[in-house]
Amino acid sequence: MATTATNLRVRLVRMAQSPCCWAGCLAAVVGLLPFSFLLIDGLRVLVTQPYIVTGTAITAGARVGWNTIQIAVWTSVVSLILGFCLAKACSRFNKRALLTMVLLVIMPLFVNQIARNAAWMWLLDASGLLNKVFAVLLHRDAPLEILYRRLGVIVVLAHGMVPIAFLLCLASMQVLDEDSLSAARTCGAGPCRVFISIYLPQIAPGLAASFALVGILTLGYYITPAMLGGRDGIMIAKYIEQLLNRIGDPVAASILALALGLVCIPLAAGLARLLNSFYASQPPN
Amino acid sequence: MRMASLRHGVFALSCILTLTAGCQRSPRQRELVVVSFGGEWQKAQTEAMMKPFATANKVRITPSEYGGDYELLAQKLGSGAWDVVDVEPAELLRAAGAGILEKIDYTKIRKAALIPSAVHDFGIGLMTYSIVLGFNSITYPSSKPRPSSWADFWDLDKFPGKRAMHNSPQWMLEIALLADGVSAEKLYPLDVERAFSSLDKIKSQLITYESWAQPTQLLLRGDVVMSVGTSGRLLAAKEEGKPIQISWENGIVASDYWVIGKGSQNKELAQAFVSYSVSDEAQSAMAKYILYGPSNTNALSSIAANRRSLLPTAPEHFSQQVRFDAEWWYINKKRVLERWNGWLLSPAK
């Protein structure tokens, strides 16, 4: 017990002396500054003013929150699956090919979000390319309804999040212990068995981390639900903006922003722990 | 030795930068921030009013867009970020009541030339527009029955397909009541409950849009078969040859107003701008770009006869439309907005 306490003190002293640590703290504070005003205001409101929450406000806020969580979960699942497949496909590449793949996958993120959303709207709407192809293949009269619904938001968000999921899955696959796989195969395990019992448990922290990160990012997303969410795909960030600008209820907006922050903080903490445990368990290469 | 001179150099440089930073000239001289609703509407205002005024008076006009939300308007006017804003009638009354607007200087404006509804203490009427039913003329060619009334907008059996509405109870509640059979004379004060139960009937087929520029796109791309839209923008698309038609029956007529914020740093310039906007030349020029009724009656003579029949203020259309009641919305908008949002978020039955 004494050694862990001394270790902790030593680590804290070292952190306080390192400029990198201070730079990191400063960056975090500056990054969180705009959001923190809403958070602090929400806290102040909760503590000082007895907010008379109307029935409509509660059901509206709860419904939007539940919608947001559903969209976040679906987006995380879809982008995790796609990111995992992509990462598995290029986990064995040499350094040069891997770098090229990473650049190619990240490229959509360089395009402005609004331009990306507009491109998706053009692709998916009733006269879009997708519907034209489906009309020819399936001889449908009525177009597929994807936009202005939850489905459209999930599709577009997943497309935006696949690069992130890909990177995290790839990171965990890169530090995989190859010998354990060949050892299992030598012992006579079939490919399925190797995958489930040896492969997945080793990259599980990476998968969980990518699920958590995509979930956190999606929970606070604004542009996609604003442009193509319609009635069904509304998310909490869009609702907070409406409360501030259209309805004129900054108190409710602050409380919702606070709730969003409170939900994201344990997720982020869990994510940090996952990444930490995953990097700490790496064998020295 | 070298470290000392480097530190001295950095110190001297930072002193110079701080001093010069304080000596910047006022950033808002000879510049006007004018805000409107974007799209074809704002394009007409830019060509007819903003550009000529800017060149004639050698000022810079910085345009911007917004969606009409009062809270945003109040915040921006108060901080002085926006000088002149195009507002809808209910927002004009609310802003004037809240005391955030500058009184319009009518000494240089010939009031006699303006239509009576355009003259308000705190705002000057720009143009008269109409909220109408728009549809795709390929979906509904002239050989087949075409939607003409709001009851047709509600008729999911005769005209199946999705409909689009603006994401705001303003205009939409009136339309819902008209579709439910309320006569135009008995429309105001609005029966909000009846309007919402009427809206429930088409909720499953409803798509809401945020900007008035979207109905044209939604109709052309086939995402909806009918849409609520502004007559000028829909007819502009029709003039370009796009397959869009409108129905004037029971459209809702209103005017937009230029207002000047009390926090503006360029009040004389703003007053000059709004008085230029209702001058004969500006109003005639505006009618070239968008088919809306001018506030200046002298401008009517400069519009070609065939285009005059497409204005919402043309007698044959004006008679079958409903006049928007800004007073009712000024009093009730906030309460109805909350109700609308709750209704929008609850699932369709």
Side-chain angles (χ1 to χ4, degrees):
Chain A
M1 278 313 290
T3 24
T4 18
T6 341
N7 269 345
L8 185 62
R9 253 196 33 225
V10 166
R11 269 202 293 186
L12 281 174
V13 167
R14 240 184 248 153
M15 268 169 59
Q17 285 174 341
S18 94
C20 286
C21 196
W22 282 107
C25 287
L26 188 65
V29 165
V30 168
L32 287 176
L33 207 57
F35 181 55
S36 64
F37 286 125
L38 268 180
L39 264 181
I40 291 168
D41 205 49
L43 271 171
R44 180 187 61 82
V45 157
L46 271 182
V47 167
T48 56
Q49 292 176 24
Y51 181 58
I52 302 158
V53 186
T54 62
T56 330
I58 291 184
T59 38
R63 200 160 267 130
V64 175
W66 177 230
N67 219 30
T68 313
I69 292 174
Q70 285 182 317
I71 294 177
V73 167
W74 272 110
T75 310
S76 306
V77 166
V78 171
S79 52
L80 178 61
I81 293 174
L82 290 174
F84 175 76
C85 295
L86 266 177
K88 182 104 176 35
C90 48
S91 58
R92 297 286 187 80
F93 286 9
N94 63 32
K95 258 208 167 68
R96 199 125 141 266
L98 196 61
L99 194 60
T100 319
M101 271 303 288
V102 166
L103 275 175
L104 282 175
V105 172
I106 295 185
M107 247 199 269
L109 295 180
F110 295 158
V111 180
N112 186 354
Q113 277 184 28
I114 296 180
R116 255 188 291 155
N117 278 291
W120 273 112
M121 285 170 83
W122 178 85
L123 265 176
L124 293 178
D125 68 13
S127 321
L129 197 60
L130 186 74
N131 270 305
K132 288 213 168 85
V133 166
F134 269 55
V136 167
L137 287 180
L138 301 176
H139 303 287
R140 283 177 70 101
D141 259 344
L144 283 174
E145 283 163 24
I146 303 176
L147 286 184
Y148 311 111
R149 288 173 60 197
R150 203 180 295 165
L151 178 60
V153 177
I154 293 172
V155 165
V156 179
L157 279 178
H159 170 255
M161 295 297 162
V162 159
I164 296 167
F166 166 77
L167 284 175
L168 279 174
C169 290
L170 191 66
S172 63
M173 285 173 194
Q174 291 292 86
V175 295
L176 187 65
D177 186 8
E178 302 280 336
D179 299 333
S180 60
L181 293 178
S182 19
R185 278 191 216 112
T186 328
C187 290
C192 270
R193 194 64 203 270
V194 169
F195 185 78
I196 294 173
S197 309
I198 314 286
Y199 190 72
L200 273 187
Q202 286 191 40
I203 57 169
L207 295 186
S210 89
F211 187 89
L213 185 57
V214 171
I216 294 172
L217 290 172
T218 318
L219 278 175
Y221 223 79
Y222 171 75
I223 288 190
T224 305
M227 282 181 78
L228 49 95
R231 208 166 42 83
D232 197 24
I234 190 166
M235 290 175 77
I236 205 152
K238 170 88 180 111
Y239 189 54
I240 291 175
E241 187 262 335
Q242 277 198 335
L243 282 170
L244 279 173
N245 281 340
R246 177 164 295 174
I247 304 172
D249 196 351
V251 172
S254 318
I255 293 179
L256 277 178
L258 178 64
L260 179 63
L262 289 178
V263 164
C264 285
I265 286 173
L267 279 180
L271 175 66
R273 286 196 94 173
L274 270 173
L275 286 174
N276 219 21
S277 71
F278 151 68
Y279 278 115
S281 66
Q282 294 321 304
N285 272 11
Chain B
M1 213 18 215
R2 247 190 294 167
M3 281 309 292
S5 58
L6 180 67
R7 257 186 284 147
H8 287 154
V10 168
F11 179 67
L13 188 63
S14 52
C15 281
I16 293 169
L17 283 175
T18 323
L19 285 173
T20 47
C23 294
Q24 271 175 12
R25 65 177 177 88
S26 159
R28 298 285 305 282
Q29 279 173 357
R30 305 300 291 173
E31 182 196 332
L32 215 53
V33 178
V34 179
V35 185
S36 183
F37 287 87
E40 292 287 342
W41 171 274
Q42 184 152 350
K43 190 165 144 222
Q45 291 169 329
T46 312
E47 298 297 325
M49 299 170 188
M50 296 191 224
K51 276 196 188 154
F53 183 78
T55 30
N57 294 282
K58 298 213 178 32
V59 301
R60 196 154 62 104
I61 293 194
T62 311
S64 188
E65 286 179 27
Y66 81 132
D69 302 325
Y70 177 75
E71 304 298 327
L72 189 62
L73 173 76
Q75 182 209 9
K76 292 283 185 179
L77 282 181
S79 68
W82 292 352
D83 293 307
V84 180
V85 188
D86 175 340
V87 298
E88 288 176 343
E91 275 68 42
L92 165 69
L93 293 178
R94 193 164 168 200
I100 55 174
L101 296 180
E102 191 72 16
K103 264 199 164 183
I104 303 286
D105 182 9
Y106 279 102
T107 51
K108 300 197 190 71
I109 304 174
R110 285 186 321 150
K111 273 198 226 176
L114 301 179
I115 58 177
S117 63
V119 178
H120 189 274
D121 279 337
F122 292 98
I124 196 159
L126 271 180
M127 15 184 175
T128 306
Y129 54 92
S130 181
I131 307 295
V132 295
L133 190 160
F135 58 91
N136 190 325
S137 52
I138 294 181
T139 322
Y140 301 116
S142 39
S143 52
K144 295 200 331 214
R146 286 179 145 179
S148 59
S149 67
W150 294 119
D152 291 335
F153 198 89
W154 253 246
D155 196 341
L156 296 177
D157 304 310
K158 195 166 161 208
F159 302 103
K162 289 212 170 282
R163 287 105 163 93
M165 276 193 152
H166 191 221
N167 185 3
S168 165
Q170 187 172 296
W171 323 110
M172 303 306 128
L173 289 192
E174 280 93 334
I175 290 170
L177 286 171
L178 288 165
D180 205 36
V182 178
S183 68
E185 301 81 37
K186 299 219 179 73
L187 197 55
Y188 294 98
L190 298 180
D191 185 348
V192 177
E193 290 309 312
R194 187 172 173 183
F196 276 108
S197 42
S198 169
L199 281 166
D200 273 333
K201 294 188 194 137
I202 57 165
K203 192 175 184 178
S204 57
Q205 296 287 65
L206 210 55
I207 288 179
T208 49
Y209 56 82
E210 300 287 327
S211 147
W212 289 110
Q214 283 179 276
T216 319
Q217 277 311 304
L218 290 169
L219 283 170
L220 287 175
R221 300 291 290 178
D223 286 307
V224 297
V225 296
M226 284 189 243
S227 175
V228 175
T230 49
S231 64
R233 298 207 208 206
L234 291 170
L235 287 173
K238 182 166 172 229
E239 281 197 317
E240 284 173 20
K242 307 238 172 78
I244 296 209
Q245 282 283 357
I246 68 169
S247 165
W248 291 101
E249 187 182 327
N250 269 341
I252 307 171
V253 173
S255 303
D256 264 15
Y257 295 80
W258 281 135
V259 295
I260 304 174
K262 262 226 168 90
S264 162
Q265 297 166 4
N266 296 294
K267 291 198 180 121
E268 305 86 49
L269 211 53
Q271 298 279 6
F273 175 71
V274 302
S275 63
Y276 177 75
S277 308
V278 293
S279 65
D280 298 352
E281 51 195 273
Q283 292 271 313
S284 322
M286 176 217 79
K288 266 206 310 247
Y289 293 103
I290 199 157
L291 287 161
Y292 283 142
S295 306
N296 189 332
T297 44
N298 293 339
L300 273 174
S301 49
S302 62
I303 306 173
N306 57 347
R307 294 190 98 219
R308 225 179 291 167
S309 62
L310 295 174
L311 298 179
T313 41
E316 63 267 29
H317 304 310
F318 200 72
S319 53
Q320 50 173 321
Q321 297 188 84
V322 179
R323 186 96 207 148
F324 178 69
D325 186 349
E327 279 288 339
W328 189 92
W329 280 103
Y330 165 43
I331 300 166
N332 295 288
K333 191 160 187 179
K334 190 153 176 161
R335 166 181 74 90
V336 177
L337 257 176
E338 273 202 35
R339 177 83 203 276
W340 169 267
N341 239 66
W343 175 83
L344 209 61
L345 287 170
S346 60
K349 294 188 188 66

